[in-house]
Amino acid sequence: MNRINNFLEAFGAGVIMTWRAFAMLPAAPRILKRITEQGFLIGYTSLPIIGILCFFMGSVLALQAGISLREFGAKEFIGALVGASMARELGPVMVAIILAGRVGSAVTAELASMRVNSEIDALTTMNIPPERLLVLPRLLAVILVMPVLTMLANLIGWFGGAVVCEYVGFIGLSADEFFRNLQSYVSFSDVMDGLIKAEVFGIVVMIISCNTGLRTQGGPREIGLAVTKSVVLSLIAILTLDYFITKLLA
Amino acid sequence: MATSRKSPIQRQDRSPAAVKVEGLSKSYGSQEVLHDVSFNVEPGEIFVIMGPSGSGKSVLLRHIAGLEVPTRGKLDINGFNPTLPETRDQFALALVFQSGALLNSLSVYDNLALYPHEHRLCPQKDLRDRVMRALRILSIEHAVQKMPAELSGGMRKRVAIARALVMEPQLLLYDEPTSELDPIMAATIAEIIATLREEYAVTSIVVSHDRDLSLTIADRFALMQGGQLHSVAPPGEFQKSTDPIITEFLNPQINLQNPRFKSLETSS
């Protein structure tokens, strides 16, 4: 019962925090510098990890598809399979998971540490809402950066698939054929659906990370617990939402 | 260019704040940490709250700063409730935290410039003058580009006071301003508190364990005991008091033959 109460309390606090942050949207031009800094942090620092993971994700997909489809004489469909899987599912989900692990954990740790060290209280006494200074720039940055990161993840994944097709002998499919097949089966709406998913995942991960950080009470041990909680909650939210958004967009 | 608007102080007459606390109680779960606390602080007064550890001094200060909502009772700063966000900009209040509570990701300059910048109190070109003036008063202008992590405890306290000064407060709250400081730095902080009252006509509420600081600067003392206000009086009356709680707090006796510790001695 206590756990349900805590969850509902945290959920309510998250909704209020998000509402307050977006209510301060008119202040956005004044926090452009902070939005840029956060955009850099989210985008630039996660890009190398996204690049490596998505390259191998595309490669493995192509390899597995190659092994299975050659038995049915349908190896030319590897492009369609890798293309659609990356665009509709793996691209947005991988980017969101990396966002939760790489950026969300750092955001939670920073805000939790600010809470524990009375920095948030200092802002409150200065009549500076933490939602304006700390939450809104991160939310706006994630909204701007997520589509770009997801598009790059898709391209890198497709490229990884093409490399495997070209250089793994038993698949016997050229990169040209891979991309031709990908182009004819992956539509603009497939990519758009993936980008919509990525936006929702990004916003939810950032809300969970900020809310968990700002609600932390205690000391260093609680900061560690808050980070773990934020990452776990984010992963659950990503995979749960993935099902419902996919159903909604189908 | 940033537009300037009137600061809360300029909006009203720039007078020191009056504080009224009536029947304030606070409970966390079943534990009551403040019980029926009532007192007034006059404009321009230095009001020192003392008491043993765990007596509720800092919780009381957090209520006055609007960081806690009381379970019962009323708080009033110049006629406004400090716990309501919508009335918070009707008076200028600054709290100097025990730890300084400087924003660790910002330099000293950015820490000080944050309040006027966020509230658009002055054009950008005047901002630097305003910040440097506050740093000069505290004799720490050389630290302007440093990060909080590079500062000593005393410096952090002084930067926190400078940040409060930039806010041009009507009410300045200090939470243990001399804790963890050497006696010389503690004396400097005491001088600063007294000078700020004289020069800036600010009401000050100081929570402290430091008896010497309190006796030097206080207009009135309040002694907290077990979450209750034991007594409020000027320092002179406190020193003359025969109340055992007051005398024990102001003049603690060190008994080197305390029987409580004899058993520790023999067991070792």
Side-chain angles (χ1 to χ4, degrees):
Chain A
M1 197 62 196
N2 210 12
R3 280 193 168 191
I4 296 170
N5 277 347
N6 286 345
F7 175 77
L8 290 176
E9 202 184 318
F11 185 80
V15 171
I16 292 168
M17 182 200 75
T18 312
W19 172 257
R20 282 188 182 156
F22 281 118
M24 286 161 190
L25 258 180
R30 280 200 290 142
I31 51 169
L32 265 181
K33 194 180 160 211
R34 287 179 202 283
I35 297 170
T36 316
E37 280 168 5
Q38 290 303 321
F40 175 81
L41 185 81
I42 296 166
Y44 185 77
T45 57
S46 19
L47 194 55
I49 314 171
I50 288 172
I52 294 167
L53 288 185
C54 288
F55 179 85
F56 284 105
M57 189 62 69
S59 308
V60 170
L61 262 181
L63 202 57
Q64 290 283 17
I67 294 166
S68 307
L69 293 179
R70 70 176 173 164
E71 289 176 19
F72 303 102
K75 65 181 180 185
E76 61 274 17
F77 291 109
I78 296 175
L81 198 144
V82 174
S85 305
M86 283 306 297
R88 296 181 64 94
E89 198 59 46
L90 294 172
V93 169
M94 284 312 293
V95 171
I97 287 173
I98 292 160
L99 182 83
R102 174 74 181 79
V103 180
S105 58
V107 167
T108 304
E110 185 183 347
L111 299 191
S113 154
M114 288 181 78
R115 168 63 78 194
V116 168
N117 295 328
S118 305
E119 292 176 40
I120 304 290
D121 287 343
L123 289 175
T124 308
T125 58
M126 286 193 268
N127 202 15
I128 300 170
E131 291 87 1
R132 186 176 77 205
L133 195 75
L134 304 170
V135 181
L136 185 61
R138 289 177 165 92
L139 280 173
L140 293 179
V142 90
I143 288 171
L144 292 173
V145 169
M146 276 307 271
V148 179
L149 280 180
T150 309
M151 219 34 246
L152 286 171
N154 290 344
L155 291 173
I156 294 168
W158 294 342
F159 178 71
V163 169
V164 165
C165 289
E166 179 79 41
Y167 293 105
V168 175
F170 71 82
I171 294 178
L173 188 75
S174 73
D176 277 351
E177 285 171 294
F178 173 89
F179 278 119
R180 216 173 300 127
N181 183 249
L182 187 150
Q183 230 174 342
S184 45
Y185 282 96
V186 178
S187 64
F188 178 73
S189 70
D190 289 330
V191 178
M192 277 310 291
D193 286 358
L195 296 184
I196 291 168
K197 272 186 185 181
E199 279 293 21
V200 176
F201 294 159
I203 293 170
V204 169
V205 166
M206 202 46 84
I207 290 172
I208 290 172
S209 308
C210 291
N211 190 43
T212 311
L214 287 175
R215 284 172 47 80
T216 305
Q217 304 275 341
R221 184 173 166 269
E222 281 72 21
I223 296 174
L225 291 174
V227 172
T228 311
K229 189 173 158 189
S230 138
V231 174
V232 171
L233 275 177
S234 296
L235 295 181
I236 294 171
I238 290 165
L239 296 175
T240 313
L241 281 171
D242 190 25
Y243 173 81
F244 289 106
I245 300 171
T246 307
K247 204 154 189 297
L248 204 70
L249 294 173
Chain B
M1 200 170 87
T3 54
S4 72
R5 68 177 189 188
K6 286 186 171 182
S7 77
I9 302 168
Q10 287 164 326
R11 254 183 268 148
Q12 307 163 10
D13 57 326
R14 199 208 174 287
S15 55
V19 180
K20 205 183 279 180
V21 179
E22 278 177 26
L24 191 81
S25 296
K26 177 71 178 179
S27 300
Y28 296 107
S30 59
Q31 194 192 2
E32 193 174 46
V33 289
L34 287 178
H35 178 73
D36 198 22
V37 175
S38 300
F39 62 87
N40 290 339
V41 181
E42 302 300 325
E45 190 176 20
I46 297 182
F47 188 80
V48 177
I49 304 169
M50 292 186 83
S53 300
S55 58
K57 309 181 296 293
S58 292
V59 177
L60 176 59
L61 200 71
R62 287 177 61 83
H63 276 85
I64 299 169
L67 295 171
E68 300 273 351
V69 179
T71 311
R72 279 190 308 279
K74 264 173 64 181
L75 266 158
D76 182 308
I77 300 174
N78 277 358
F80 297 104
N81 183 350
T83 59
L84 299 175
E86 55 271 26
T87 59
R88 210 183 276 274
D89 66 347
Q90 296 301 317
F91 51 86
L93 172 154
L95 169 58
V96 178
F97 287 82
Q98 187 172 358
S99 61
L102 302 175
L103 272 68
N104 281 317
S105 56
L106 302 181
S107 69
V108 167
Y109 177 86
D110 289 335
N111 261 286
L112 267 68
L114 186 64
Y115 179 83
H117 175 75
E118 285 293 319
H119 292 279
R120 289 181 284 173
L121 296 185
C122 57
Q124 281 295 330
K125 61 184 169 61
D126 296 339
L127 190 58
R128 190 165 182 86
D129 292 342
R130 190 169 170 151
V131 168
M132 291 312 293
R133 195 166 56 238
L135 289 172
R136 260 196 304 279
I137 291 168
L138 277 297
S139 311
I140 45 170
E141 58 269 43
H142 58 278
V144 65
Q145 291 306 333
K146 289 193 173 172
M147 297 302 284
E150 299 172 75
L151 304 175
S152 66
M155 286 281 279
R156 288 175 75 92
K157 285 249 161 76
R158 284 199 279 173
V159 173
I161 296 173
R163 181 174 68 180
L165 263 188
V166 169
M167 294 167 67
E168 297 182 352
Q170 293 164 287
L171 174 62
L172 194 41
L173 310 172
Y174 301 87
D175 190 7
E176 302 281 5
T178 57
S179 65
E180 301 161 32
L181 296 183
D182 64 75
I184 298 167
M185 187 53 71
T188 309
I189 298 286
E191 284 169 12
I192 289 167
I193 295 171
T195 310
L196 291 182
R197 191 265 295 267
E198 300 302 325
E199 299 290 323
Y200 287 84
V202 59
T203 306
S204 306
I205 300 179
V206 185
V207 160
S208 179
H209 275 126
D210 189 332
R211 188 188 52 176
D212 296 335
L213 164 106
S214 310
L215 289 171
T216 314
I217 62 168
D219 291 319
R220 277 190 308 153
F221 262 136
L223 183 69
M224 297 278 297
Q225 177 81 12
Q228 287 177 297
L229 198 62
H230 179 269
S231 44
V232 180
E237 279 182 34
F238 252 89
Q239 284 174 297
K240 285 181 213 156
S241 173
T242 52
D243 183 324
I245 293 175
I246 296 174
T247 51
E248 194 191 346
F249 189 77
L250 290 183
N251 305 297
Q253 299 298 311
I254 299 172
N255 179 8
L256 297 176
Q257 301 301 317
N258 193 329
R260 267 196 297 164
F261 305 116
K262 279 290 172 194
S263 58
L264 294 176
E265 220 172 86
T266 49
S267 65
S268 66

